[in-house]
Amino acid sequence: PPANVKVGKMGLGGGWGASAIYYKHRLESRRSRRWLLSPTSLVFAVVVIVFAAFTRDSGPLPAFLMAVYMQMFSEALSRFGRELTKPYIYLMPESSFAKLVAALRESIRGGLVESLVVFVPIGLILALDGWTIAALVLARWSFTLVYNADTVAEMRLFGGVSSKVLTLLFYFLLMLAIALPGIVAAIVLSALGVHPALCYAALAVLNVPVSLLALFLCRNMLQYAELNDQ
């Protein structure tokens, strides 16, 4: 065998207990040469930015709705949903909620980066003020929690449903239920003539606790490997 063999970085590089899931995701990203965003997420970001350029006369709302719609597909391709179907996550001697949060960490970080990549250029294209850009970034990032909480709730409540059509229907209904308080607040504030930045900020502020509540209520789903998706 050769005398000098170059060995790459070995091990997860950190993590203990449930947090090892997050470092596993970081290792997988490094091995796939994905540092900030996946190629798919970059394509989605470009699509939204181009869409915003074509609809610039209508303000930021069409671009925001398009970004949230495209985010549904990028979150569906994330590692979080796939992680919940792996057998070892059920065997880890940690609380179910701790494992859910650890599995979410990469999606949360990636969602923030993706929101910045999308809405900073859009803000410049639409000549928005800094407060509105920041509120758009936070509102779009908050849907990272909404979609992932929706995934957990759908798997916990309807994991035994074999029909793909019903599964998709339940997914949309649960997503609307989680996001509804923030949507209603944003619409009411907009009707009152409040600055758009505060409307998007209200959406983000309400999305986060409602999503965390949904995750907490479904926290015991990892105690028993009973999901049909496996």
Side-chain angles (χ1 to χ4, degrees), residues 18 22 80 96-106 108 212 215:
Y22 168 66
F80 177 70
S96 294
F97 190 62
K99 290 186 284 189
L100 282 176
V101 172
L104 265 174
R105 285 178 63 182
E106 188 197 38
I108 291 173
L212 292 177
L215 287 170

Side-chain angles (χ1 to χ4, degrees), residues 24-71:
K24 168 181 170 291
H25 290 167
R26 291 184 58 180
L27 175 63
E28 290 170 347
S29 295
R30 188 177 76 243
R31 287 179 173 176
S32 62
R33 302 294 190 270
R34 194 181 93 176
W35 302 108
L36 289 176
L37 297 176
S38 66
T40 304
S41 295
L42 287 174
V43 170
F44 289 162
V46 171
V47 169
V48 176
I49 293 170
V50 172
F51 178 81
F54 280 105
T55 60
R56 60 187 305 170
D57 294 335
S58 301
L61 182 58
F64 178 75
L65 295 176
M66 184 65 172
V68 171
Y69 173 73
M70 297 297 289
Q71 187 181 11

Side-chain angles (χ1 to χ4, degrees), residues 138 141-143 145-146 178 202-215:
L138 290 176
W141 170 81
S142 71
F143 274 90
L145 285 173
V146 170
I178 294 171
L203 177 62
V205 166
L206 287 174
N207 276 348
V208 172
V210 176
S211 299
L212 292 177
L213 177 62
L215 287 170

Side-chain angles (χ1 to χ4, degrees), residues 29-215:
S29 295
R30 188 177 76 243
R31 287 179 173 176
S32 62
R33 302 294 190 270
R34 194 181 93 176
W35 302 108
L36 289 176
L37 297 176
S38 66
T40 304
S41 295
L42 287 174
V43 170
F44 289 162
V46 171
V47 169
V48 176
I49 293 170
V50 172
F51 178 81
F54 280 105
T55 60
R56 60 187 305 170
D57 294 335
S58 301
L61 182 58
F64 178 75
L65 295 176
M66 184 65 172
V68 171
Y69 173 73
M70 297 297 289
Q71 187 181 11
M72 178 174 62
F73 299 100
S74 62
E75 291 300 331
L77 298 173
S78 69
R79 292 192 178 97
F80 177 70
R82 298 196 302 270
E83 199 69 57
L84 299 182
T85 64
K86 302 294 179 61
Y88 57 78
I89 196 170
Y90 294 88
L91 302 176
M92 296 179 68
E94 292 273 1
S95 70
S96 294
F97 190 62
K99 290 186 284 189
L100 282 176
V101 172
L104 265 174
R105 285 178 63 182
E106 188 197 38
S107 293
I108 291 173
R109 185 183 68 166
L112 180 59
V113 173
E114 193 171 329
S115 299
L116 288 167
V117 169
V118 169
F119 278 106
V120 170
I122 287 177
L124 297 176
I125 292 172
L126 302 183
L128 302 176
D129 60 88
W131 290 110
T132 302
I133 294 174
L136 285 165
V137 169
L138 290 176
R140 201 274 188 182
W141 170 81
S142 71
F143 274 90
T144 304
L145 285 173
V146 170
Y147 283 124
N148 284 294
D150 183 20
T151 297
V152 172
E154 186 276 323
M155 294 177 72
R156 182 67 182 91
L157 298 175
F158 306 108
V161 177
S162 57
S163 171
K164 297 298 182 183
V165 175
L166 286 177
T167 298
L168 189 61
L169 176 62
F170 292 144
Y171 181 86
F172 278 112
L173 290 177
L174 287 171
M175 185 271 290
L176 289 174
I178 294 171
L180 187 60
I183 293 173
V184 171
I187 292 174
V188 171
L189 290 175
S190 178
L192 294 175
V194 175
H195 192 281
L198 291 178
C199 298
Y200 291 112
L203 177 62
V205 166
L206 287 174
N207 276 348
V208 172
V210 176
S211 299
L212 292 177
L213 177 62
L215 287 170

